[in-house]
Amino acid sequence: MALSGRTGPPHGPAFPPHDAELRAAARHVARRRFLTVTAAAAALAFTTNLPARGAFAAPRLDTARLADDPFTLGVASGDPLPDSVLLWTRLAPVPFAPDGGLGQQRVEVSWEVALDEYFAVVVQRGTALALPEYGHSVRVDVRGLAPGSRYHYRFRTGAWISPAGRTRTAPPAGDDTSSLRLAAVACQAYHDGYYTAHRHLAQEDVDVVFHLGDYLYEYAVDSAGGARGYTDVVLPDVFNRETTTLTDYRMRYSLYKSDPDLRDVHAAHPFVVTWDDHETENNYAGAADENGSDPAQFLARRAAAYRAYWENQPLRADQLPQGPDAQLFRRLHWGTLAQFDLLDTRQYRSDQAYGDTSHVPGPESDDPARTLTGDAQERWLLDGWGASTALWNVMPQQVCFSQRRMDLNAEAKVSMDAWDGYRASRGRLVAGAKAAGVGNWLVLTGDVHVAYAFDIKDDFDDPGSATLGTELTCSSVASGRDGSARPANWDTYMRANPHLRFYDGRRGYVRVELGRETARADYRVVPVVTTPGAAVSTAASFVTEAGSPGLTPV
């Protein structure tokens, strides 16, 4: 990733009050008098790397003295492989305290994996350390499991036992498994409403859940929880500000994970996660934030956000950030049925064109040097398609891939934050998919707080051109508050975009079943999220046939 920024020493305080390791990075860069983005990144990578001294110097907690339940943030599992799955928890007996109530002590935690929910047949067990350097998060990469199998897991420390979680492994490599049930979710602004969609998703019979970004929002949450309008709970003032520091981000995850519906859906299914913008800051692009801050200053914030994200998600050590950098794009398989290429469309992208306003495409946005993925990720994706032997090639990512004209003018405005603002980058992927012979291409998308179903066209301006794949956009869990089946721009969007087959503005998720003959998508919606307890229904269902791209209503 190529970075650029101003050179020379900072003038006045270059950084807001960050946590100790980030302030140290700022002092280091300022002292050496080369405040470039690259120098800042190097310093941050050094100071926010794996714990060294502290990991061994921190005193060990006598867990027999734990008076309060440390498993208040629940459990999770993720990234299932044929022989392993990643298990996660984070200890926080006082979840809204900056240190979770554990100070700088390290805590030993035991774990076990069983074939049954009663843990009568335990197949693996062990211990792990919860280190203060990582917010007392615990992750265990359990290996040696049987492929294509379901398991139950839990953690224990002192007299306390965590809630039990359910997970599963992927089928064996090369296995011609016949089906996979998945769900895709995104955008869960705590202050916009309840996680009713998660409550229903926890009851669905799915094998894995893909979270496509905006798991967290950096915006302030008032004492009543925003649109939740609490009358029996008063949230601490610490949440009523925007997140900028490592402590801020850690505590905001504590708030989000205090939600019982979010805890339940994590315990019910393994998750595969990728981030979008709000886990760090709205609509950031690479080292540029939306306020035009000094890139080095923003990278300090990005380092804090990335580290807190890793601490609070079921991610393996390969995704551990090195300062403000983390390789989140990765590839998973489900036998020969599906290959999943998870993208990161924030960390490496060129800055949005035309000031990130809705705009007619032009020379600035269509510059062929612009990228949404970065060169390395683009090559990785195209090479992966070329080597794929899967029936379905699924691309979980963040922002709308298909063209989305926003008005009926001959030259219509489009979003500069989505792939429409990076048409050369999208064109390279379309050409790469065609060259690789990707016949069953399925794009999963979040970000926009509505549900869309698109036919991916060879030429979006020619409705008669070949259909190359399908894009399913999953609406939001809560972001946008209560929605409506037909937003005000529904008619305009449907007329302006003939390849848009479905548009619904309610909250929810998309459930997908991949088979050898077809893929079926069910759009599951709830009518309200500002009050809890709404029922779920299916707004629409579509099928696309293997070998014959295009959506058919059912």
Side-chain angles (χ1 to χ4, degrees), residues 271-537:
F271 269 57
V272 177
V273 301
T274 185
W275 55 40
D276 195 13
D277 52 337
H278 287 288
E279 289 90 350
T280 301
E281 190 255 5
N282 179 55
N283 279 19
Y284 80 93
D289 71 2
E290 67 173 344
N291 299 315
S293 303
D294 187 310
Q297 177 178 333
F298 175 64
L299 282 184
R301 180 179 181 180
R302 199 177 90 175
Y306 282 13
R307 179 159 158 183
Y309 183 83
W310 184 84
E311 290 173 349
N312 285 278
Q313 299 290 5
L315 290 166
R316 287 186 167 85
D318 288 346
Q319 279 67 59
L320 173 68
Q322 304 297 305
D325 303 303
Q327 184 173 313
L328 200 64
F329 65 87
R330 60 202 189 279
R331 180 170 293 125
L332 298 170
H333 297 88
W334 206 263
T336 62
L337 182 64
Q339 174 173 298
F340 296 98
D341 297 296
L342 280 92
L343 301 191
D344 172 359
T345 61
R346 284 293 162 191
Q347 186 177 180
Y348 314 108
R349 67 159 65 192
S350 306
D351 202 359
Q352 292 93 340
Y354 300 112
D356 196 17
T357 59
S358 298
H359 202 280
V360 173
E364 184 178 340
S365 61
D366 286 346
D367 182 345
R370 287 170 49 75
T371 177
L372 198 63
T373 62
D375 292 342
Q377 185 176 195
E378 181 180 297
R379 289 194 301 271
W380 166 86
L381 178 61
L382 299 181
D383 289 347
W385 282 342
S388 175
T389 59
L391 177 62
W392 297 96
N393 287 277
V394 186
M395 191 175 87
Q397 54 95 53
Q398 294 76 28
V399 294
C400 274
F401 185 81
S402 300
Q403 180 171 284
R404 186 171 50 125
R405 293 164 58 97
M406 295 178 166
D407 57 57
L408 296 171
N409 297 327
E411 294 292 326
K413 292 181 178 179
V414 295
S415 169
M416 290 295 109
D417 187 59
W419 287 87
D420 278 334
Y422 302 79
R423 296 199 300 181
S425 190
R426 179 172 63 195
R428 291 191 293 271
L429 293 199
V430 169
K434 292 165 61 178
V438 175
N440 301 301
W441 184 17
L442 178 60
V443 178
L444 300 178
T445 300
D447 182 60
V448 286
H449 309 169
V450 297
Y452 293 134
F454 291 102
D455 287 337
I456 300 174
K457 307 297 287 186
D458 192 12
D459 179 357
F460 286 109
D461 292 323
D462 177 8
S465 69
T467 298
L468 303 180
T470 298
E471 180 176 7
L472 307 175
T473 300
C474 66
S475 189
S476 67
V477 171
S479 303
R481 304 193 177 188
D482 299 334
S484 62
R486 292 197 173 191
N489 59 7
W490 187 91
D491 184 67
T492 297
Y493 275 32
M494 296 299 291
R495 291 171 59 196
N497 301 283
H499 54 285
L500 175 58
R501 308 298 304 281
F502 173 69
Y503 175 16
D504 191 291
R506 288 170 287 186
R507 308 297 143 243
Y509 52 93
V510 62
R511 183 182 63 198
V512 182
E513 181 163 4
L514 300 180
R516 287 284 164 185
E517 304 296 329
T518 63
R520 176 185 173 116
D522 297 308
Y523 285 90
R524 305 281 279 164
V525 299
V526 296
V528 295
V529 293
T530 53
T531 55
V536 68
S537 62

